[in-house]
Amino acid sequence: MAVEDFDTLERESPHPGRSDVAEYAALARALRGRVDGGVEFDEYAQVLYATDGSIYQARPAGVVYPTDVEDVRAAVETAAEFGVPVLPRGAGSSLAGQAVGPGCVVLDCSRHMNEILEVDPEARLARVQPGVVQDHLDARLADHGLKFAPDPASSNRATVGGGIGNNSTGAHSVRYGITDAYVEELRVVLADGSLIHTRDVVVDSPEWEEIVSRDDREAAIYETVRALVEDNADEIESRYPELKRSVSGYNLHKVIRETEAGERVINLSKLLAGSEGTLGVVVEATLSLVTVPEETALAVYWYDDLLEALAAVPVALEGPVGGVELMDDEVFRLARESEGYAAYARPVPEGTEAALMLEFDSELVDDFEATIAETTERLVADGPDETGAFGVLEADDPAEQADLWKLRKAAIPLLMSMAGDPKPYPFIEDASVPPAELAEYVGRFEGILADHDTSAAYFAHAGSGTLHIRPILNLKTEDGVETMHSITDDVTDLVLEYGGSFSGEHGDGMARTEFTPKMYGPQLWAAFKELKTAFDPDWQLHPGNVVYRDGPDDPGPDSDRGIGADMRENLRYGPAYQSLEPQTTLDFTEEGGFSHLVELCNGCGTCRQTESDVMCPTYRASGEEIQTTRGRANLLRAAISGELPPEELASERFQSEVLDLCVGCKGCASDCPTGVDLAKLKAEVKHRYHEEEGASLRSRLFADIDRLAALGAATAPASNWLARLPGARVAMEKTLGIARERELPTFQRHTLHDWFAARGGPRVPESAAQRRVVLFPDTYSAYCDPAPARAAVRVLEAADVHVRIPDDLAASGRAAYSTGVLDRARLRARHNVEALAPFVEAGWSVLFVEPSDAVMFQDEYRGLLLGPDTPELYAETVRRVCEASAGVCEYLDRERLDESIAFDTSGETLAYHGHCNQKAVGADHHAVGVLRRAGYAVDPVEATCCGMAGSFGYEAEHYELSQAIGRLLFDAVDASGGEPVAPGTSCRTQLGDRPGAEPPSHPLEKLADALER
């Protein structure tokens, strides 16, 4: 439910059902005395670690960031002394609630324990700490032609430790299986703080006898595990499903194996895989590796019926396939309607209800063409009256394959960005059945959904019998929650009937542990509890996952049924959830409202990725959860839902630690799977803060930087001398908080308008031009560095474009918007729209040298000027001006005007850094295309935001962080080896501030240089 003001929110207790805040404080003090790593037990830390990628939320007691094994041991021992449970956590991308636990001490091993300790290419082994991100490991292994086989979709931020805990896998499980097959050895801290080394041990060998002869926890574990496997052999044989994917319960069926020599080998590593941190804390892992195929090919088969596609899966598996993935019509529909994914959906024929995507690799196939032809003969219908696929798309080009994989992986973000409270939630999505049973199983699954008056999308790993099916429900209502539970009950019955597993991926967690007894029966359920007790006698490690307390004789908290006994508990959104829907200055209609935009964050943690895209630059520099988009969204949601005091939004801490460290790059608007635009949310909340507390002098100066620049230019060169007087920078830092390390821009007495007037205005007569444009005089081009704008004029005129630079336009309002001074930004926006409307009505375009100003017009002006009460005539005017706006290179590329220009380059290599705002709206590639057609060799640099971000890099308290972000870009530019070019003023300033470096050129300057030659 949404409410209209903070005053009506009923705030819950910070620790529902507990009154041990004083005990937590004592525990935090004890931990700080024994742990070298960070210890955070305040409300912010609790909120940040209360959620993961699932539907659940549970506040922990606090968070520890261990630096090494001894820190983990000390934390576990100390928590045990206080009777507080422990939860190890990686990236927090889990989808079943495994990474959250009420009242737990969270051990975040991702911050410090993230080293690759050893790689042995000949033995195909890697030894790593648990916080290593899987993609980082694979990047290290790439030089050896190796990889870690399991490939979850979250591999760009998911940690190896988390993957072991969940027994992860991915799209290629048909080929490679799941994580437990590759975990050879582990070093594990048990609940009593002891450290054990799990590896192959031959039963009854001298090594076995040496282990079990000791009077310690490890000996008891080995003896208990052996006894449980031997005593329950028949139940294990009959109850565990024969599937490539089954990650429910504990791996009693894999912990002991018989070798070819007839020896029985026990390896507890196989048991710890999938145990979700309930048996021990993994502090080191030795992993086996596989070779990377040199080539792959894809074949996508189109079907006009979902069940026909599923019926074809067993036929597809007859061939040498490495993966068989399913997509349905709902995914295609949403992709076509999405600006970000529409291009990937273009190859999908009209009328396609489902598609099977088959991957082949060169280690399995010698002749792709022949193999695909043979597969096509089996799968494609012979005629219109035959069943089967009606067509096939073959892709051997890596770029084309990458686009098809992007379409497949777009399913979850597209579904989760659905408007309104009903969402396709993950709770039963990982159920797996034998592939031969898929079609019949899904047909009956659809019947269950129909009985509950809902629907779902179908996608993912058909080849392994694991479909991600997410029923659409509103969990903010009692009916929605009860329907979720009823669907789960019915589906688990259905899965058992087909000999399947309740989870073929993503584990049990809070979502499925309730139903584990149903899957395994009372005998194995009792064995699971005995196993848990052997490892963890007091059930201190992540209680309630995999097993739960269901009787007074069970260890753990003194209650009849413990955590995990009811999937309806600890929901992030439930019937009691309420949130603020405030009156806002910006229009959030397209996002479904302010609170809906905040709540779009599903916790998947994509903002923790560090190797591609933009999001989230401050996290990449700091490694702190509070500086992710997820962290900021979680804290915003806590404030608007009453979980934090509503006045917290206006607190100095919230402003400085949560909002001010967002650089406003807008990377989240495009990189976040559900499009959580934190920059827009920040602008709104900062504006509210300024209204209540007043804006600082520095904020007001930066918001009016255009007027300050105009004054500086009018008084140059005196204004430049003053800024360079001895002690001037120190004084500015002390009075205004402007970093003394930054050199202020140089003002030009001869402004852009002066230059344009002196040259006689436009050189291409309006009457002779087919195209007419207004070149927007941004503040930096107008008063500090006119060269890029001059270059723009020359290049445009070379394409026979009539160019004008009006002198009655205001600044775009970007600076005021970024600092949250929205009234000022709106005034400038209104002025510019009114001034430019006559040009646009007459067919002119509005072009920009500065990318952030272009995006301000294209995107932010809509939020500033439009709303439900905006008169339609004015709204249409605003939309036309926004649509007529573009960067100069975007305009040249879109119209292919550069093809009419004679360029002369010597083929220099350019290292191009695109502006993050343009990346957010998908417009950063245009400059690359134009520069290449002009004759330059262009290397687009894969890097995040430059870290300057307008005023951010000038602010004294943010200078070090700005530089830390910048170094990520510097390294990427240096690795490229080309001459740096960047369209953004901030980017050129940051790159130019490197020791011994000159400010790079604007792409338009390189184009103008090519004209001059």
Side-chain angles (χ1 to χ4, degrees), residues 143-214:
D143 290 341
H144 305 293
L146 300 171
K147 66 178 180 178
F148 184 51
D151 58 344
S154 57
S155 63
N156 62 0
R157 72 270 191 196
T159 63
V160 172
I164 293 171
N166 293 345
N167 209 358
S168 296
T169 182
H172 295 89
S173 58
V174 168
R175 173 90 153 87
Y176 297 112
I178 61 180
T179 293
D180 59 37
Y182 303 93
V183 180
E184 305 302 332
E185 299 183 19
L186 296 173
R187 293 191 182 273
V188 181
V189 173
L190 300 178
D192 63 354
S194 60
L195 179 66
I196 66 170
H197 174 203
T198 66
R199 72 279 186 194
D200 277 355
V201 176
V202 178
V203 176
D204 294 331
S205 67
E207 184 179 18
W208 166 271
E209 295 299 338
E210 192 277 327
I211 292 172
V212 299
S213 66
R214 299 193 299 262

Side-chain angles (χ1 to χ4, degrees), residues 650-808:
S651 72
E652 181 57 36
R653 184 184 182 191
F654 198 96
Q655 296 295 313
S656 62
E657 293 185 26
V658 181
L659 297 182
D660 288 349
L661 293 180
C662 167
V663 297
C665 67
K666 290 177 66 70
C668 47
S670 56
D671 298 347
C672 170
T674 53
V676 179
D677 189 345
L678 216 292
K680 184 173 184 178
L681 292 166
K682 171 192 172 180
E684 182 65 48
V685 178
K686 290 294 291 184
H687 176 70
R688 182 186 182 100
Y689 176 76
H690 292 326
E691 284 189 320
E692 294 179 1
E693 305 294 330
S696 68
L697 175 59
R698 187 179 68 185
S699 293
R700 294 197 301 272
L701 284 175
F702 280 133
D704 278 333
I705 194 66
D706 53 313
R707 295 175 181 175
L708 188 64
L711 178 62
T715 58
S719 54
N720 297 322
W721 297 339
L722 288 172
R724 289 166 176 78
L725 287 174
R729 292 192 193 179
V730 174
M732 282 191 291
E733 180 171 296
K734 289 182 177 180
T735 58
L736 298 174
I738 296 174
R740 68 183 72 185
E741 295 86 351
R742 292 290 187 191
E743 184 174 339
L744 295 179
T746 299
F747 299 112
Q748 303 292 327
R749 185 64 178 261
H750 191 66
T751 67
L752 175 64
H753 289 94
D754 294 337
W755 169 82
F756 196 67
R759 77 194 292 268
R763 296 276 176 88
V764 176
E766 183 178 357
S767 58
Q770 291 188 349
R771 291 177 173 83
R772 299 165 295 168
V773 303
V774 170
L775 185 66
F776 184 83
D778 65 89
T779 300
Y780 196 75
S781 295
Y783 303 114
C784 300
D785 183 14
R790 295 177 184 176
V793 173
R794 290 197 295 272
V795 172
L796 287 166
E797 290 183 340
D800 291 326
V801 176
H802 176 75
V803 183
R804 288 194 198 175
I805 306 179
D807 57 10
D808 61 343

Side-chain angles (χ1 to χ4, degrees), residues 21-45:
V21 176
E23 183 182 356
Y24 287 165
L27 171 57
R29 287 193 297 271
L31 286 166
R32 291 188 182 104
R34 299 180 63 182
V35 171
D36 291 334
V39 176
E40 296 178 357
F41 270 58
D42 62 291
E43 277 201 304
Y44 278 26

Side-chain angles (χ1 to χ4, degrees), residues 175 249 313 410 426 435 599 669 709 722 913 935 985:
R175 173 90 153 87
V313 171
E599 292 167 8
L722 288 172
H913 173 61
T985 297

Side-chain angles (χ1 to χ4, degrees), residues 480-546:
V481 173
E482 292 307 313
T483 299
M484 174 185 71
H485 191 263
S486 181
I487 288 174
T488 307
D489 204 14
D490 290 347
V491 169
T492 48
D493 286 344
L494 184 63
V495 171
L496 276 187
E497 184 180 335
Y498 283 97
S501 171
F502 296 172
S503 180
E505 190 175 11
H506 304 146
D508 292 322
M510 292 184 173
R512 289 180 279 272
T513 294
E514 174 188 350
F515 299 93
T516 305
K518 179 194 290 191
M519 178 171 171
Y520 289 105
Q523 185 174 327
L524 285 182
W525 177 244
F528 288 167
K529 292 197 291 183
E530 187 176 345
L531 176 71
K532 165 71 171 171
T533 304
F535 275 87
D536 178 16
D538 296 320
W539 286 31
Q540 290 292 121
L541 296 176
H542 203 10
N545 285 251
V546 186

